[in-house]
């Protein structure tokens, strides 16, 4: 894996971890999958800052319940 790709993955991983810290919830596989997909979408839209990405994740997906399959997608929230 190239250094650039590793750094991109690290950026998204850190943003997801910030979401967990903010909401003080335990690791959840379903939530993590959902949040990682959302982080990838933000990255693809040009977000390259951990702080910015974490802020959007925290503001868009409020708590664990917001990460469930029937939760609104980020595109419907914007």
């Amino acid at each position: 894996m190239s250094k650039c790709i590793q750094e991109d993955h690290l950026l998204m991983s850190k943003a997801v971890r910030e979401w967990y810290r903010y909401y003080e919830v335990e690791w959840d596989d379903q939530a993590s999958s959902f949040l990682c997909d959302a982080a990838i979408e933000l990255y693809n839209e040009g977000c390259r800052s951990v702080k910015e990405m974490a802020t959007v994740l925290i503001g868009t997906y409020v708590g664990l319940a917001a990460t469930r399959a029937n939760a609104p997608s980020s595109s419907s929230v914007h």
Side-chain angles (χ1 to χ4, degrees):
M1 189 179 306
S2 76
K3 184 174 174 72
C4 185
I5 292 172
Q6 287 175 331
E7 289 172 2
D8 297 342
H9 287 167
L10 187 59
L11 179 148
M12 291 180 269
S13 175
K14 285 181 178 180
V16 170
R17 285 195 311 256
E18 287 299 318
W19 182 92
Y20 273 99
R21 280 191 200 109
Y22 184 86
Y23 287 110
E24 299 177 341
V25 295
E26 293 294 319
W27 179 265
D28 179 271
D29 287 338
Q30 184 178 354
S32 296
S33 178
F34 183 92
L35 291 166
C36 286
D37 287 346
I40 290 167
E41 185 178 322
L42 290 169
Y43 182 87
N44 289 339
E45 292 172 1
C47 183
R48 297 294 187 272
S49 155
V50 172
K51 184 175 180 175
E52 179 186 4
M53 188 176 288
T55 299
V56 172
L57 290 175
I58 289 165
T60 304
Y61 307 106
V62 180
L64 198 55
T67 66
R68 297 307 184 214
N70 60 353
S73 71
S74 62
S75 59
S76 66
V77 173
H78 293 299

